[in-house]
Each structure stands twice: as C-alpha cells, then as structure tokens.
Amino acid sequence: MALKSWLASANDPGSDFPIQNLPYGAFRYRGQTHIGIAIGDRILDLFACTANGLLAQLPEEIEYACRMETLNALMELGPDAWQQLHARATYLLDAEHASDETRQKTEAALVPMNEAEMQMPARIGDYTDFYASIDHATRVGKLFRPDNPLLPNYKYVPIGYHGRASSVVLSGTGIRRPCGQTKAGDGAPVFGPAKSLDYELEVGMFVGPGNRLGDSVAIDDAERHIFGLCLVNDWSARDMQAWEYQPLGPFLAKSFATTISPWIVPLEALAPYRIPVRKRAEGAPAPLAYLRSASEERDGIDLTVETHLETRAMREAGMEPERISRGNLRDLYWSLAQLLTHHTSNGCNLRVGDLLATGTISGPDEGSEGCLLEMRHRVNALRLATGEERTFLEDGDRVILRAYAKRPGLPRIGFGECAGLVEAAR
Ligand code: CA
C-alpha cells in the first residue's frame, strides 16, 4: 500500500505535494525567513523542526543547514545528507510511524502554505541555459533555415549558453515587457517595447556540490551533483532575439527576466519515474565517450510538463486558465547528467546553487510545443476558448507552467506553479 501521511491534505489525490514528494523551498512567515518542505497544503518549517529537537539525531551539519534562510548550505552537503533528511521528514509525516509525541511536535512545525510568502530558494551564482530538445531545435531551425533546420553539431554537442542569474525571479513576480532594438524587414532598426514576447517551458536543475576549476564531473557521477529540479520560464523577446542573436547568441532578448518555481523537487522523489533516455533515430551518432552513461536505462524522467495561459479577459470572466501545451521531459535529446557533465568537460567549475536549465521542452507532436514561436508553424494563430487569438503574449497575459509525474499505484508528484503576469513596457 502506498505511503500515507497523517496530514489529510497530503493524501488528496489533487495535491502536488504528497508524502512521496517533499520538495524544498524557502518562505517568509510572521516576519522570518526559513527553509521548509511542502506537504499537502502546509510547509514543514525546518528551522522549527530543529528548535523542537526533531532533527537532533541527524548529523550536526544537516541541522545547521536547516537553520539557514536559503537552501545553499543543504545543497552543498551532497546526496547522502539529502537522503538522510528526506528519510527523516518522511518518518515525521508518515501515518504509520510517527508517535503521538513526535506527531504533536511535527504539527507544531507546520505552517499554512497560503499564509507564507515564498522566497528565492537559493542564492543563484550562475545560470546556464541549454537547448536539449531536438524537436524544439528542429522546429525553430525550420523557421530560419527550411532546408537545413538542424545544425550539424546538434547531435554531438549539448548546445547551451551562459544566462543571467541576477534577473532570475520567483514565480508570481510581474514580468515587465522589455524594450530593445528590433528590425522589421528592410527598414532601419528601432528601439521600443518588444512586440514578440514569448515564454519558454523548461526544467531547471540546482547544482549541489560543485567541482573545482580544472576538474570535470564524470557522467556516472553527474547526478550526485544535482540537488533537485524546478520549473523555469525563460521569457524571450523574439523580435529582439532575431536582430541581436548573430554571431554570439542571445543577450538582451533573454536577460530581462527568467522565472523559477519556488519548490525544488529532489531527484530521490522522482526515482520511481525514471525511464530510459530517448532512443536515437536510426543512423544518428552515439554520444562521444565522455557523454555515454552506464545507466541509460534510467537516465530519462517521465515528467509531464504543461503551459497554461490566463488572459485578462479570462480573469475578468472568472474563467480558469487554459492549457495550451503538454509535453514531457522524456522527449529531450540530452539527459540531465549529460548536460551537467558536458558543462564541466572543459574544466569549468560549477558552484553550489548554480541553476542549469534544459532549454524549451517540446515534443514531436502538435500540442507539445514549449513556446509560442514554435506554434507559428501551424496554419492558424493559437485560438483560445474566449475566442481570442495569440501569436505572442499580450500585456495582462499570465503564463503558468506546471509539471507532474504519475504512474499507476503511486500518487501524483507535482512541481507546483511557475507563474508570471506580463506587464506593459515602461
Ligand atoms: Ca531557453
């Protein structure tokens, strides 16, 4: 029988946060910032757990990390410590095991999620964005190079670029439409509000222990450096991007804002949803040796990812946001381990709290596109239930990303929301 919590809301089949999940985040409640674990409609306050003696049997460095205002100290401890804390939190919340006294102390450390204000989970030193979806790369490539959509390096090199960490913001932060240079047709470039604002549905991984400058992380060790996963919206101004991206790649079209979801789902919680990596097409090259993993059979993750859109008209009519895409992390060409290993293969050092994102997650089928740009290959613009149409985002649009893993016999594990509302340019 599946594990259940004594906290009823954690057993609600609609909850993103059953006892099998236990994602980490930082929150502010009654004037204090603590780190905690999401469970049902509550947050298990880890600072309060240390104060109540609930973590006293864990190594001192774990208790110490649980008293911090961000997850960095915990991230740095590595997978053995993460596993010990995860096991202890599971024990405290488990309906079968916890004694009355333990349960009372644990209850006293719970905070109502709707009264807490989520904070940035970590101090992010560096943010890197990859391009790991071959379906995204092919569809976008087709718009620019119809005869040669996929560049020849794609099947060998996990393509990525260095993003901007200072403008990574938490879900719920308003997204101001950026201004920049754009150039239409043969005319001269102009400076003004971007007209082609887009979202990109991505998954981010937070780096735990880093590697020393000059060292690299072997592919079979890569996941020991991944603390957990969140959702990422890599907002993109397509008209600015088209004008600026050659020859060095994206710059101001991407750096105005990147939204992350507040909860970081540990890899351990996703273990039951691990699957083989995507099978490469007939004739496609095998990865070079340094990217070849001994665990290809479980390097993929069966994680459904969705984009929902709420326009101003929907809000005013009291309508629910409309789902506009559904894809899956399993469709990526490169695994998370391959992305991390490739990043360090030249001796580049990753540091605790770094954020590495997959790039737009799209699948092969219509309806699985992870951004609006790709949907332009359809004959018609995106038509919504309100009768409105979208080619790109308009002011007042709210984009909500969601993700979940599910499998018969196991509860659904969700990522919570990664949301942002587009505000008019200044
Ligand atoms: Ca991106």
Side-chain angles (χ1 to χ4, degrees), residues 127 129-131 136 161 200 202 234 236 238 254 357-360:
Y127 161 51
D129 197 21
F130 286 96
Y131 200 53
H136 172 67
Y161 72 97
E200 290 190 335
E202 309 193 7
D234 182 33
S236 300
R238 301 300 186 192
K254 303 268 190 177
T358 55
T360 307

Side-chain angles (χ1 to χ4, degrees), residues 13-331:
S15 172
D16 275 348
F17 309 122
I19 190 170
Q20 287 82 355
N21 190 351
L22 304 184
Y24 294 101
F27 64 98
R28 195 160 177 80
Y29 179 67
R30 295 188 174 161
Q32 303 212 300
T33 299
H34 293 164
I35 60 171
I37 291 175
I39 175 77
D41 61 2
R42 298 284 193 276
I43 300 170
L44 180 63
D45 180 339
L46 287 172
F47 183 95
C49 286
T50 65
N52 292 356
L54 289 169
L55 306 180
Q57 51 278 88
L58 297 178
E60 207 171 311
E61 65 267 23
I62 299 180
E63 267 204 288
Y64 174 81
C66 288
R67 289 196 285 265
M68 299 292 108
E69 294 191 349
T70 67
L71 292 166
N72 293 67
L74 179 61
M75 290 170 162
E76 192 150 31
L77 294 179
D80 299 334
W82 307 335
Q83 199 172 21
Q84 286 181 67
L85 183 58
H86 195 257
R88 182 64 186 161
T90 304
Y91 176 86
L92 294 175
L93 294 161
D94 181 353
E96 293 283 310
H97 289 113
S99 68
D100 286 349
E101 194 201 342
T102 305
R103 181 172 157 171
Q104 276 164 16
K105 283 186 182 172
T106 308
E107 261 181 318
L110 292 178
V111 167
M113 202 179 274
N114 61 8
E115 291 176 26
E117 189 193 335
M118 297 309 294
Q119 307 289 309
M120 282 299 275
R123 291 183 308 278
I124 301 171
D126 278 295
Y127 161 51
T128 298
D129 197 21
F130 286 96
Y131 200 53
S133 163
I134 195 169
D135 298 303
H136 172 67
T138 305
R139 237 181 248 121
V140 170
K142 222 172 250 173
L143 295 172
F144 298 103
R145 299 173 301 274
D147 300 329
N148 178 29
L150 201 64
L151 293 170
N153 57 1
Y154 191 86
K155 291 178 178 172
Y156 291 93
V157 184
I159 302 292
Y161 72 97
H162 294 295
R164 180 86 198 159
S166 66
S167 52
V168 177
V169 298
L170 198 65
S171 177
T173 307
I175 302 301
R176 177 80 56 186
R177 180 180 296 273
C179 288
Q181 282 198 30
T182 59
K183 184 178 181 302
D186 295 331
V190 295
F191 183 89
K195 292 191 177 69
S196 311
L197 185 61
D198 202 352
Y199 60 85
E200 290 190 335
L201 165 56
E202 309 193 7
V203 163
M205 49 180 148
F206 271 97
V207 173
N211 60 296
R212 272 192 313 213
L213 182 63
D215 287 353
S216 50
V217 175
I219 184 83
D220 293 324
D221 291 334
E223 289 200 356
R224 295 184 61 83
H225 294 262
I226 303 174
F227 176 73
L229 307 184
C230 67
L231 283 161
V232 175
N233 184 341
D234 182 33
W235 304 92
S236 300
R238 301 300 186 192
D239 43 357
M240 289 165 59
Q241 188 179 352
W243 174 228
E244 76 172 9
Y245 87 103
Q246 286 177 319
L248 282 185
F251 185 44
L252 302 181
K254 303 268 190 177
S255 61
F256 59 95
T258 305
T259 306
I260 61 167
S261 55
W263 294 109
I264 306 177
V265 176
L267 281 191
E268 194 179 346
L270 293 164
Y273 311 97
R274 301 306 296 259
I275 50 171
V277 293
R278 176 173 172 158
K279 206 169 154 36
R280 297 198 166 194
E282 193 79 29
L288 298 186
Y290 76 102
L291 294 175
R292 215 170 294 153
S293 152
S295 54
E296 278 184 1
E297 286 311 303
R298 46 170 288 118
D299 281 354
I301 304 178
D302 184 4
L303 182 75
T304 302
V305 291
E306 296 180 348
T307 311
H308 298 249
L309 180 64
E310 180 190 74
T311 65
R312 187 175 285 150
M314 290 178 192
R315 255 193 317 281
E316 283 167 3
M319 295 165 71
E320 287 291 305
E322 182 173 336
R323 178 168 60 77
I324 56 172
S325 80
R326 177 181 282 160
N328 196 302
L329 193 67
R330 69 190 305 162
D331 288 327

Side-chain angles (χ1 to χ4, degrees), residues 339-387:
L339 299 179
L340 189 140
T341 287
H342 180 67
H343 202 314
T344 65
S345 61
N346 66 343
C348 170
N349 52 328
L350 297 179
R351 292 180 298 190
V352 59
D354 283 356
L355 177 66
L356 275 48
T358 55
T360 307
I361 303 167
S362 297
D365 304 323
E366 190 167 297
S368 66
E369 304 92 339
C371 64
L372 290 171
L373 179 69
E374 285 177 61
M375 295 185 192
R376 287 170 54 185
H377 76 285
R378 298 178 186 174
V379 178
N380 300 310
L382 178 67
R383 180 176 281 276
L384 302 166
T386 49

